[in-house]
């Protein structure tokens, strides 16, 4: 029986599953393997239309994914990787090439998951109010959708 590989889009970890498994079985197996050892597994905020804006933003930002992984496996994590913003929102702080700074705002939901709410490249010293407000709005929408 052959096995297939699935790569985590956040941290790049490879998972195996049996080739004859159904897609839902493969997804369940990969999620179970991915969760092993994580204190707070990350999930992506999903819009009503089904989009995942933080996943799209992270696509080619491996260093940001590594910092998210640090929080997943080491929660609670402090500076310089993670910092609280208030209202239950935290920020993952990542320094990128060419003096750019990436930020991912998240919260820990009732199911002890790290919900990635909003990501952006910081251009000013202070976090823009519109970025923080978007994260708060996404948090509120996500909380209303939890069972």
């Amino acid at each position: 029986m052959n096995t297939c590989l699935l790569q985590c889009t956040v941290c790049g970890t490879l998972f195996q599953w049996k080739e004859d498994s159904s897609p839902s079985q493969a997804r369940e197996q990969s999620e179970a393997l991915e969760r092993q050892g994580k204190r707070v597994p990350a999930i992506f905020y999903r819009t009503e239309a089904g989009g995942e804006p933080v996943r799209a933003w992270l696509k080619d930002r491996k260093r940001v994914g590594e910092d998210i992984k640090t929080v997943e496996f080491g929660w609670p994590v402090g500076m310089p990787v993670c910092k609280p913003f208030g209202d239950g929102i935290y920020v993952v702080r990542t320094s990128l090439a060419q003096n750019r700074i990436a930020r991912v705002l998240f919260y820990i939901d009732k199911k002890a998951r790290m919900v990635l709410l909003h990501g952006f490249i910081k251009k000013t010293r202070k976090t823009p109010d519109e970025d923080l407000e978007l994260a708060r709005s996404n948090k509120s929408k996500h909380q209303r959708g939890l069972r």
Side-chain angles (χ1 to χ4, degrees):
M1 189 174 311
N2 293 334
T3 59
C4 296
L5 294 176
L6 173 70
Q7 186 170 23
C8 174
T9 58
V10 174
C11 65
T13 304
L14 292 174
F15 302 101
Q16 289 185 341
W17 76 90
K18 295 176 185 160
E19 194 171 64
D20 62 348
S21 299
S22 72
S24 64
Q25 289 172 321
R27 195 175 315 107
E28 288 172 17
Q29 183 181 4
S30 69
E31 288 171 359
L33 286 169
E34 190 174 6
R35 189 171 169 90
Q36 291 177 1
K38 290 185 180 180
R39 302 281 306 271
V40 287
I43 64 167
F44 292 93
Y45 164 75
R46 185 170 289 156
T47 65
E48 291 177 14
E52 294 175 329
V54 176
R55 183 188 301 270
W57 181 82
L58 283 174
K59 198 164 189 162
D60 293 319
R61 291 178 168 83
K62 185 175 181 180
R63 189 174 294 161
V64 177
E66 290 168 356
D67 286 341
I68 290 170
K69 184 177 175 180
T70 297
V71 176
E72 286 181 297
F73 282 94
W75 182 255
V77 177
M79 293 287 283
V81 176
C82 187
K83 172 181 160 181
F85 252 104
D87 297 328
I89 294 177
Y90 298 85
V91 62
V92 174
R93 305 155 42 97
T94 303
S95 295
L96 301 174
Q98 301 164 344
N99 282 339
R100 294 178 307 136
I101 301 169
R103 298 290 187 254
V104 176
L105 300 170
F106 71 94
Y107 88 105
I108 304 297
D109 72 4
K110 291 179 182 179
K111 296 180 181 180
R113 300 176 300 183
M114 176 185 186
V115 181
L116 307 175
L117 300 167
H118 178 57
F120 60 98
I121 300 294
K122 194 169 174 187
K123 295 180 177 143
T124 61
R125 190 164 170 81
K126 184 179 181 288
T127 299
D129 290 336
E130 55 269 13
D131 288 306
L132 195 50
E133 189 52 42
L134 178 57
R136 286 184 180 127
S137 173
N138 290 346
K139 176 186 175 192
S140 177
K141 290 174 188 174
H142 183 263
Q143 287 175 321
R144 285 194 303 267
L146 284 179
R147 311 273 182 258

